[in-house]
Protein backbone atom coordinates (compact mmCIF):
# COMPACT_ATOMS: atom_id res chain seq x y z
CA UNK A 1 0.00 0.00 0.00
CA UNK A 2 0.98 3.63 -0.47
CA UNK A 3 1.94 5.06 2.92
CA UNK A 4 2.55 8.63 4.08
CA UNK A 5 4.52 8.69 7.33
CA UNK A 6 4.12 11.41 9.97
CA UNK A 7 6.55 11.52 12.86
CA UNK A 8 9.04 13.73 14.68
CA UNK A 9 10.57 11.98 17.65
CA UNK A 10 13.38 9.51 18.26
CA UNK A 11 10.70 6.91 19.05
CA UNK A 12 9.16 7.43 15.59
CA UNK A 13 12.27 6.16 13.82
CA UNK A 14 11.91 2.37 14.36
CA UNK A 15 8.45 2.49 12.74
CA UNK A 16 9.85 4.36 9.75
CA UNK A 17 12.70 1.86 9.45
CA UNK A 18 10.25 -1.05 9.65
CA UNK A 19 8.11 0.48 6.92
CA UNK A 20 11.13 1.08 4.71
CA UNK A 21 11.98 -2.63 4.96
CA UNK A 22 8.43 -3.83 4.31
CA UNK A 23 6.61 -4.40 1.05
CA UNK A 24 4.71 -1.13 1.40
CA UNK A 25 5.64 2.05 -0.48
CA UNK A 26 6.54 5.08 1.61
CA UNK A 27 5.50 7.85 -0.77
CA UNK A 28 6.59 10.71 1.47
CA UNK A 29 7.78 11.33 5.03
CA UNK A 30 6.40 14.46 6.67
CA UNK A 31 8.12 15.88 9.73
CA UNK A 32 8.48 19.19 11.53
CA UNK A 33 10.72 21.83 10.01
CA UNK A 34 14.14 22.24 11.72
CA UNK A 35 14.14 24.27 14.94
CA UNK A 36 17.06 26.31 16.33
CA UNK A 37 18.98 24.62 19.10
CA UNK A 38 22.32 23.49 20.46
CA UNK A 39 25.53 25.47 20.31
CA UNK A 40 25.22 28.33 17.88
CA UNK A 41 21.44 27.99 17.86
CA UNK A 42 21.57 26.33 14.45
CA UNK A 43 18.49 24.70 12.92
CA UNK A 44 18.31 21.05 13.98
CA UNK A 45 16.30 18.54 11.91
CA UNK A 46 14.06 16.04 13.67
CA UNK A 47 15.29 12.46 14.19
CA UNK A 48 12.74 11.40 11.59
CA UNK A 49 14.21 13.79 9.00
CA UNK A 50 17.67 12.37 9.62
CA UNK A 51 16.36 8.80 9.33
CA UNK A 52 14.45 9.52 6.12
CA UNK A 53 17.59 10.93 4.50
CA UNK A 54 19.62 7.92 5.64
CA UNK A 55 16.99 5.55 4.24
CA UNK A 56 16.69 7.46 0.98
CA UNK A 57 12.97 8.18 1.44
CA UNK A 58 11.11 11.20 0.00
CA UNK A 59 11.04 13.87 2.72
CA UNK A 60 9.16 17.10 3.35
CA UNK A 61 9.92 19.24 6.41
CA UNK A 62 6.88 21.42 7.17
CA UNK A 63 5.49 23.49 10.01
CA UNK A 64 2.14 21.64 9.98
CA UNK A 65 0.06 19.26 7.90
CA UNK A 66 -3.20 20.98 8.81
CA UNK A 67 -2.82 23.54 6.04
CA UNK A 68 -0.41 25.03 3.54
CA UNK A 69 2.52 23.08 2.10
CA UNK A 70 2.11 20.18 4.53
CA UNK A 71 -1.53 19.59 3.66
CA UNK A 72 -0.78 19.93 -0.06
CA UNK A 73 1.99 17.33 0.22
CA UNK A 74 -0.49 14.95 1.82
CA UNK A 75 -2.99 15.46 -0.98
CA UNK A 76 -0.39 14.98 -3.69
CA UNK A 77 0.82 11.71 -2.16
CA UNK A 78 -2.64 10.07 -2.48
CA UNK A 79 -2.00 7.69 0.43
CA UNK A 80 -3.80 4.45 1.14
CA UNK A 81 -2.60 4.73 4.73
CA UNK A 82 -1.49 7.65 6.87
CA UNK A 83 0.93 6.23 9.47
CA UNK A 84 1.33 8.52 12.49
CA UNK A 85 3.95 7.80 15.18
CA UNK A 86 4.90 10.28 17.94
CA UNK A 87 3.97 13.22 15.74
CA UNK A 88 2.61 15.44 18.50
CA UNK A 89 -0.09 17.27 16.55
CA UNK A 90 -3.86 16.81 16.78
CA UNK A 91 -5.03 16.07 13.24
CA UNK A 92 -8.34 17.47 11.96
CA UNK A 93 -10.95 15.54 10.00
CA UNK A 94 -9.75 17.02 6.70
CA UNK A 95 -6.38 15.28 7.20
CA UNK A 96 -7.83 12.05 8.59
CA UNK A 97 -10.12 11.71 5.58
CA UNK A 98 -7.27 11.83 3.03
CA UNK A 99 -6.07 8.19 3.11
CA UNK A 100 -8.27 5.79 1.14
CA UNK A 101 -7.81 2.93 3.62
CA UNK A 102 -7.09 4.32 7.09
CA UNK A 103 -5.22 6.84 9.20
CA UNK A 104 -3.24 4.59 11.56
CA UNK A 105 -1.65 5.71 14.82
CA UNK A 106 0.95 3.77 16.81
CA UNK A 107 0.33 4.50 20.50
CA UNK A 108 2.67 3.33 23.26
CA UNK A 109 0.14 1.79 25.66
CA UNK A 110 -2.50 -0.90 25.80
CA UNK A 111 -5.49 1.28 25.00
CA UNK A 112 -7.86 2.41 26.37
CA UNK A 113 -5.40 2.74 29.25
CA UNK A 114 -3.02 5.70 29.20
CA UNK A 115 -4.49 7.83 26.44
CA UNK A 116 -2.49 11.02 25.92
CA UNK A 117 0.94 12.47 25.31
CA UNK A 118 3.06 10.62 27.90
CA UNK A 119 2.00 6.96 28.15
CA UNK A 120 5.54 5.66 28.66
CA UNK A 121 6.28 7.98 31.59
CA UNK A 122 2.88 7.43 33.18
CA UNK A 123 3.16 3.64 32.97
CA UNK A 124 6.27 3.85 35.16
CA UNK A 125 4.82 6.51 37.46
CA UNK A 126 1.76 4.36 38.13
CA UNK A 127 3.85 1.32 38.92
CA UNK A 128 2.38 -0.84 36.16
CA UNK A 129 3.92 -4.26 35.53
CA UNK A 130 2.80 -4.46 31.90
CA UNK A 131 2.26 -1.96 29.11
CA UNK A 132 2.48 -2.28 25.34
CA UNK A 133 1.64 -0.83 21.95
CA UNK A 134 -1.68 -0.32 20.18
CA UNK A 135 -2.44 0.57 16.58
CA UNK A 136 -5.73 2.39 16.07
CA UNK A 137 -7.77 3.79 13.24
CA UNK A 138 -7.51 7.46 14.12
CA UNK A 139 -10.54 9.63 14.76
CA UNK A 140 -10.76 13.23 15.95
CA UNK A 141 -10.48 12.27 19.63
CA UNK A 142 -7.36 11.85 21.74
CA UNK A 143 -6.36 8.21 21.15
CA UNK A 144 -10.03 7.15 21.04
CA UNK A 145 -10.25 5.40 17.65
CA UNK A 146 -11.05 1.71 17.10
CA UNK A 147 -8.29 -0.74 18.03
CA UNK A 148 -6.60 -2.55 15.14
CA UNK A 149 -3.83 -4.59 16.80
CA UNK A 150 -2.16 -4.72 20.22
CA UNK A 151 0.99 -6.22 21.73
CA UNK A 152 2.13 -6.23 25.37
CA UNK A 153 5.53 -5.90 27.01
CA UNK A 154 6.63 -6.16 30.63
CA UNK A 155 8.00 -3.17 32.51
CA UNK A 156 11.30 -4.23 34.08
CA UNK A 157 12.40 -3.02 37.52
CA UNK A 158 15.45 -1.34 35.97
CA UNK A 159 13.50 0.40 33.19
CA UNK A 160 13.40 4.15 32.90
CA UNK A 161 11.37 6.02 30.30
CA UNK A 162 14.28 5.88 27.87
CA UNK A 163 14.80 2.12 27.94
CA UNK A 164 11.09 1.30 28.05
CA UNK A 165 10.27 3.75 25.25
CA UNK A 166 13.07 2.40 23.06
CA UNK A 167 11.75 -1.13 23.48
CA UNK A 168 8.15 -0.11 22.78
CA UNK A 169 9.29 1.83 19.70
CA UNK A 170 10.82 -1.33 18.26
CA UNK A 171 7.67 -3.28 19.09
CA UNK A 172 5.60 -0.50 17.53
CA UNK A 173 7.52 -0.75 14.26
CA UNK A 174 6.77 -4.44 13.97
CA UNK A 175 3.13 -3.92 14.93
CA UNK A 176 2.70 -1.14 12.37
CA UNK A 177 3.87 -3.38 9.53
CA UNK A 178 1.63 -6.22 10.78
CA UNK A 179 -1.27 -3.77 10.84
CA UNK A 180 -0.66 -2.60 7.29
CA UNK A 181 -0.27 -6.18 6.08
CA UNK A 182 -3.59 -7.11 7.70
CA UNK A 183 -5.34 -4.03 6.28
CA UNK A 184 -4.07 -4.95 2.80
CA UNK A 185 -5.30 -8.51 3.25
CA UNK A 186 -8.65 -7.42 4.69
CA UNK A 187 -8.17 -9.52 7.84
CA UNK A 188 -8.29 -6.78 10.49
CA UNK A 189 -11.10 -7.10 13.02
CA UNK A 190 -11.49 -3.63 14.50
CA UNK A 191 -12.97 -3.22 17.97
CA UNK A 192 -14.21 -0.13 19.71
CA UNK A 193 -12.48 1.05 22.85
CA UNK A 194 -14.23 0.81 26.20
CA UNK A 195 -14.35 4.45 27.25
CA UNK A 196 -15.37 3.48 30.78
CA UNK A 197 -12.00 1.73 31.21
CA UNK A 198 -9.96 4.65 29.87
CA UNK A 199 -7.14 6.24 31.86
CA UNK A 200 -5.06 9.23 30.85
CA UNK A 201 -1.38 10.12 30.49
CA UNK A 202 -0.88 13.87 30.34
CA UNK A 203 2.62 15.19 29.83
CA UNK A 204 4.26 16.00 33.20
CA UNK A 205 4.35 19.72 33.95
CA UNK A 206 7.42 21.49 35.30
CA UNK A 207 6.13 21.29 38.86
CA UNK A 208 5.56 17.53 38.51
CA UNK A 209 9.30 17.03 38.11
CA UNK A 210 10.16 18.26 41.61
CA UNK A 211 10.80 15.50 44.14
CA UNK A 212 8.61 15.64 47.23
CA UNK A 213 10.72 13.93 49.89
CA UNK A 214 7.66 13.44 52.12
CA UNK A 215 6.39 10.82 49.65
CA UNK A 216 7.19 7.08 49.99
CA UNK A 217 10.61 6.10 48.65
CA UNK A 218 9.13 3.79 46.00
CA UNK A 219 7.08 6.65 44.52
CA UNK A 220 10.12 8.92 44.41
CA UNK A 221 12.16 6.30 42.58
CA UNK A 222 9.35 5.77 40.08
CA UNK A 223 9.35 9.52 39.41
CA UNK A 224 13.09 9.44 38.77
CA UNK A 225 12.72 6.48 36.39
CA UNK A 226 9.77 8.07 34.59
CA UNK A 227 11.63 11.32 33.91
CA UNK A 228 14.98 9.80 32.93
CA UNK A 229 16.90 10.45 30.73
CA UNK A 230 14.97 13.68 30.17
CA UNK A 231 13.83 16.08 31.44
CA UNK A 232 14.90 14.49 34.78
CA UNK A 233 13.44 14.71 38.25
CA UNK A 234 14.80 17.62 40.26
CA UNK A 235 15.50 18.68 43.80
CA UNK A 236 17.81 21.31 45.29
CA UNK A 237 21.09 21.06 47.19
CA UNK A 238 22.53 24.09 48.95
CA UNK A 239 20.06 26.27 47.11
CA UNK A 240 20.91 25.06 43.58
CA UNK A 241 19.10 22.65 41.27
CA UNK A 242 20.12 19.01 41.34
CA UNK A 243 18.87 16.69 38.58
CA UNK A 244 18.40 13.03 39.47
CA UNK A 245 18.74 10.37 36.77
CA UNK A 246 19.06 7.12 38.70
CA UNK A 247 17.95 6.11 42.18
CA UNK A 248 17.06 3.09 44.28
CA UNK A 249 15.29 2.29 47.55
CA UNK A 250 17.18 1.13 50.63
CA UNK A 251 16.48 0.79 54.35
CA UNK A 252 17.53 3.41 56.87
CA UNK A 253 21.15 2.90 57.98
CA UNK A 254 21.61 1.31 61.41
CA UNK A 255 24.86 3.14 62.13
CA UNK A 256 23.63 6.75 61.80
CA UNK A 257 22.40 8.11 65.15
CA UNK A 258 18.99 9.80 65.09
CA UNK A 259 18.49 8.94 61.37
CA UNK A 260 14.93 7.82 62.08
CA UNK A 261 14.21 11.29 63.52
CA UNK A 262 15.55 13.22 60.51
CA UNK A 263 12.85 14.97 58.46
CA UNK A 264 12.24 13.82 54.86
CA UNK A 265 14.86 15.21 52.51
CA UNK A 266 17.68 14.79 55.01
CA UNK A 267 20.96 13.16 54.01
CA UNK A 268 21.41 10.10 56.22
CA UNK A 269 24.60 8.74 54.63
CA UNK A 270 27.16 10.73 52.65
CA UNK A 271 29.88 8.15 52.43
CA UNK A 272 28.86 5.88 49.56
CA UNK A 273 29.78 2.25 49.98
CA UNK A 274 29.19 -1.21 48.62
CA UNK A 275 26.26 -1.76 46.28
CA UNK A 276 24.51 1.31 47.68
CA UNK A 277 27.06 3.93 46.71
CA UNK A 278 25.51 7.34 46.38
CA UNK A 279 23.76 10.02 48.35
CA UNK A 280 21.31 8.45 50.83
CA UNK A 281 18.29 10.72 51.33
CA UNK A 282 15.43 10.04 53.70
CA UNK A 283 11.91 9.78 52.27
CA UNK A 284 8.67 9.26 54.19
CA UNK A 285 9.41 5.63 55.01
CA UNK A 286 12.80 4.48 53.71
CA UNK A 287 15.87 5.88 51.99
CA UNK A 288 16.37 6.89 48.36
CA UNK A 289 19.94 6.41 47.14
CA UNK A 290 20.84 8.87 44.40
CA UNK A 291 23.36 7.04 42.23
CA UNK A 292 23.44 9.28 39.13
CA UNK A 293 22.89 13.03 39.37
CA UNK A 294 23.83 16.34 37.76
CA UNK A 295 24.43 19.49 39.83
CA UNK A 296 23.30 22.77 38.28
CA UNK A 297 25.41 23.68 35.21
CA UNK A 298 27.47 20.47 35.56
CA UNK A 299 27.59 17.18 33.69
CA UNK A 300 26.08 13.95 34.97
CA UNK A 301 28.11 12.15 37.60
CA UNK A 302 27.77 9.20 39.93
CA UNK A 303 26.59 9.70 43.48
CA UNK A 304 30.03 8.70 44.73
CA UNK A 305 31.66 11.36 42.52
CA UNK A 306 29.23 13.94 43.83
CA UNK A 307 30.09 13.03 47.41
CA UNK A 308 33.83 13.35 46.76
CA UNK A 309 33.41 16.69 45.02
CA UNK A 310 30.77 18.38 47.18
CA UNK A 311 31.35 16.71 50.58
CA UNK A 312 27.71 16.74 51.69
CA UNK A 313 27.09 16.31 55.40
CA UNK A 314 24.74 13.95 57.15
CA UNK A 315 21.68 15.95 58.30
CA UNK A 316 21.98 18.42 55.41
CA UNK A 317 18.71 18.61 53.53
CA UNK A 318 17.60 18.51 49.91
CA UNK A 319 14.57 20.24 48.46
CA UNK A 320 14.79 23.56 50.27
CA UNK A 321 14.14 22.14 53.74
CA UNK A 322 15.77 23.79 56.78
CA UNK A 323 18.78 21.94 58.21
CA UNK A 324 18.10 19.48 60.99
CA UNK A 325 19.51 20.62 64.29
CA UNK A 326 21.26 17.38 65.23
CA UNK A 327 24.86 16.33 64.75
CA UNK A 328 26.38 16.28 61.26
CA UNK A 329 29.22 14.23 59.91
CA UNK A 330 30.91 13.74 56.54
Amino acid sequence: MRVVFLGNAHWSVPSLEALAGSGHEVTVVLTRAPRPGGRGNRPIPTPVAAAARRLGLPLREVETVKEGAGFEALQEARPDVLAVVAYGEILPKAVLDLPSEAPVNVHFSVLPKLRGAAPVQRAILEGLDVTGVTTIRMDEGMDTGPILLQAEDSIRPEDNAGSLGDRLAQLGGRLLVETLDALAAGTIEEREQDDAAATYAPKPKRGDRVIDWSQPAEEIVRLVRALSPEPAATTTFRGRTLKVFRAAVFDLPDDVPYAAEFPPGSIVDAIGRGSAQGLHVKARDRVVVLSEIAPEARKRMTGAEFIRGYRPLVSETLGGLPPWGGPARG
Side-chain angles (χ1 to χ4, degrees):
M1 290 194 293
R2 293 171 58 84
V3 181
V4 170
F5 185 88
L6 271 65
N8 288 319
H10 166 73
W11 289 340
S12 310
V13 172
S15 286
L16 182 59
E17 293 173 333
L19 276 179
S22 73
H24 303 284
E25 179 189 0
V26 181
T27 57
V28 68
V29 176
L30 292 168
T31 191
R32 189 188 65 233
R35 301 271 177 88
R39 290 187 177 181
N41 212 30
R42 296 178 178 177
I44 299 176
T46 69
V48 166
R53 291 188 174 100
R54 171 171 51 83
L55 295 166
L57 297 172
L59 172 67
R60 293 289 299 274
E61 295 169 285
V62 297
E63 290 299 331
T64 181
V65 297
K66 295 179 181 179
E67 58 188 9
F71 186 77
E72 291 170 4
L74 276 175
Q75 287 180 310
E76 293 168 3
R78 296 180 293 106
D80 298 315
V81 170
L82 184 64
V84 184
V85 187
Y87 185 62
E89 185 174 357
I90 301 296
L91 301 179
K93 187 175 186 297
V95 170
L96 299 177
D97 286 345
L98 284 174
S100 60
E101 184 65 37
V104 175
N105 177 235
V106 177
H107 185 75
F108 294 166
S109 81
V110 182
L111 290 171
K113 296 191 180 300
L114 301 178
R115 295 173 176 174
V120 177
Q121 292 88 342
R122 291 290 171 181
I124 294 174
L125 276 173
E126 294 181 12
L128 301 184
D129 295 321
V130 174
T131 187
V133 177
T134 304
T135 54
I136 61 171
R137 178 186 292 271
M138 297 177 72
D139 60 18
E140 293 179 84
M142 174 68 77
D143 305 319
T144 55
I147 292 169
L148 301 176
L149 292 179
Q150 288 185 314
E152 293 187 348
D153 194 10
S154 297
I155 300 176
R156 302 166 187 172
E158 69 274 16
D159 270 331
N160 61 19
S163 63
L164 177 59
D166 286 347
R167 207 163 59 248
L168 293 180
Q170 294 293 333
L171 178 59
R174 296 193 295 271
L175 197 68
L176 176 60
V177 172
E178 290 177 22
T179 300
L180 268 58
D181 290 345
L183 284 170
T187 57
I188 283 279
E189 295 184 6
E190 300 183 17
R191 52 192 175 90
E192 298 294 327
Q193 295 189 41
D194 179 4
D195 290 340
T199 61
Y200 296 91
K203 188 175 181 179
K205 299 178 182 178
R206 182 178 295 274
D208 298 333
R209 306 174 194 170
V210 179
I211 296 171
D212 179 356
W213 295 105
S214 68
Q215 296 299 308
E218 289 284 357
E219 291 188 15
I220 292 172
V221 169
R222 287 204 302 267
L223 177 69
V224 170
R225 292 168 55 209
L227 297 180
S228 183
E230 58 182 23
T234 65
T235 186
T236 56
F237 175 71
R238 295 175 182 168
R240 305 197 71 180
T241 299
L242 185 70
K243 291 185 176 181
V244 182
F245 297 96
R246 190 153 51 95
V249 178
F250 279 83
D251 292 324
L252 282 166
D254 296 327
D255 57 345
V256 179
Y258 314 113
E261 301 175 24
F262 287 5
S266 300
I267 297 171
V268 297
D269 190 351
I271 298 175
R273 50 196 167 182
S275 63
Q277 287 195 17
L279 199 62
H280 293 227
V281 185
K282 187 179 178 185
R284 178 193 296 178
D285 48 359
R286 299 172 72 189
V287 165
V288 177
V289 180
L290 311 185
S291 54
E292 188 172 4
I293 51 188
E296 189 172 318
R298 297 290 301 277
K299 294 181 179 180
R300 290 166 66 156
M301 62 183 67
T302 67
E305 289 170 335
F306 177 85
I307 290 166
R308 289 195 296 270
Y310 287 80
R311 299 185 179 276
L313 302 175
V314 168
S315 84
E316 274 196 277
T317 55
L318 275 64
L321 298 172
W324 187 72
R329 65 178 177 87

